[in-house]
Amino acid sequence: MSVLVYVEHADGKFKKSVYEAVSYAKAIAEQNNTNLTAISIGAVEATELSALGKYGASKVLSVNNEQLKNFVNQAYASVIAEAANAENANIVVLSNSFSGKGLGPRVAVKLKAGFVDGAIELPVVEGGKFSVKKTAFSGKAFAITEITAENKVIALNPNAFGVKESAGSEISVEDFTPADKASDFAAVVKEIIRATDKVSLPDAEIVVSAGRGLKGPENWGMVEELASLLGAATACSKPVSDADWRPHSEHVGQTGITVSPNLYIAIGISGAIQHLAGISSSKVIVVINKDPEAPFFKVADYGIVGDAFEVVPKLIEALKAHKG
Amino acid sequence: MKILVCISNVPDTTTKITFTNDNTQFNTAGVQYIVNPYDEIALSKAISLCEGGKGSVTVINVGESSTEPTVRKALAIGADDAVRVNAAPRDAYFTAFQIAEYAKSNDFDMILTGRESIDYNGAQVAAMIGEFLDIPSVSIIKKLDYDGTTATIEREIEGGKEILTVTGKFVASCAEGVAEPKIPNMRGIMSARTKPLQVVEAKEVEQLSTIQSFQTPPPRGTVKLVPTEETEKLIDLLHQEAKVI
């Protein structure tokens, strides 16, 4: 047996969340005294592939053909399941990214595997039981889920495990040619549009989020400036995206995106239970609100009771001074 | 056109989540249940696609009889008929299997779900149904246009979006943006009582995972307040104490 990790690329490059998934999968391989194989699908350069050795992969299977150039979950799931069988892998790890969410369940059904999505810790193997901690109730709780099936698929949340380098791993890169299954390609990717100048919200390490306290979409300039200085993603509360001040893709909360950054800065957000659910696994929370009774202060690590229009420009100045 | 929409019965978003029986069971005492908000988006989209006699919308729920008020709510919003698979859902694999089994014997052009349920947040059912039926699935979609044979779909990706087309039957899980949630009107509420709600028994399938216990997030310490006039100190605290910038 072995462990297989799917390494998802964006425009031929791996992101931090992939290195996290590899580090996590390596730790699981060590728990089981076995090796870690990575599978990459699409055009990724050999140097990028062999860099995965640093995080513990000892082999990379690379699938690079025209038909599989773009992500089609049905086809990618077939390839990953085939690779898992070829490698005799009974544990498959992937990132719980947007694509991962469409892919993991299909792989799990193909392998008849128990599936845990949104894993936030290493599995615990005890008394023959294999269990994984995952987020539940949109961040209001955690569920310890036991995978009872022989095969296991785990999707790891971003920023949950961290990137860990492994010493002295030799890595081999091999081409992998999967079986051709024409019926897997009924979905056809037409266009991929990525804003290259923006930090992506779900895996951002720092998030600057603002709410109705900002009074209108025209006041987001300072939020964006603060975010840009911090290398942060911008986010918002539900009322703000409902009012179309900001796009739905920025809505953080129970019915929006759940984030787990190292630093979450909330500006002019009162802290409704639904919003708090989406940010509860943030490591450090800063709240700026003029209402000292705002519920958000109860979960904050640092707070400033003050008007956002006064505090945020000061923060921007202080940050510029700090960065010199 | 026939559309199947999968409905999950979930605690209202304002629910304070607690557990009983040594943290092994969700405490349902006093909890109000609702149609999963994302499923409402999927349902609203399905209803708009079928408006003007262009088709019919069936909702399906895997749950015990206690979920029927939620199923009736979906009928009040505008679904034409409903199916309840009579079983407590064990895990996403179980739920997806039951829905796929029903879909196999009933010809649907598309199956829509919400992006995830707000209780267990699996985001698994749509893609699993796709796999059981061996048809395409697209997860977390933001936009859906359908011309009767081909769907043009926008789905979210990190830092952007992807546009794809799907020809033939498919499954999609819907996020905000796909449709504005419809609110039931009085006529809908009245007619929901008499719309058909079929109950079918669950089929046997192996259980692959099980929840052992729950935990709630540890309480956070008290907030450290920085006076407005010393705003710059916050940067020092984040840099030196919290070490996050």
Side-chain angles (χ1 to χ4, degrees), chain A residues 105-120:
Chain A
R106 296 199 76 122
V107 174
V109 170
K110 278 187 192 291
L111 297 174
K112 226 181 215 191
F115 180 40
V116 173
D117 61 286
I120 53 166

Side-chain angles (χ1 to χ4, degrees), chain B residues 173-224:
Chain B
S173 75
C174 303
E176 284 175 312
V178 169
E180 283 301 317
K182 286 185 195 290
I183 294 160
N185 56 26
M186 194 41 83
R187 213 176 108 238
I189 294 165
M190 297 305 284
S191 67
R193 295 184 198 162
T194 51
K195 283 179 179 172
L197 195 168
Q198 186 195 351
V199 178
V200 299
E201 290 308 315
K203 296 197 174 166
E204 213 27 66
V205 62
E206 56 274 73
Q207 184 157 9
L208 304 177
S209 70
T210 171
I211 293 178
Q212 284 180 330
S213 63
F214 295 96
Q215 293 172 0
T216 42
R220 286 181 179 262
T222 42
V223 57
K224 195 177 262 190

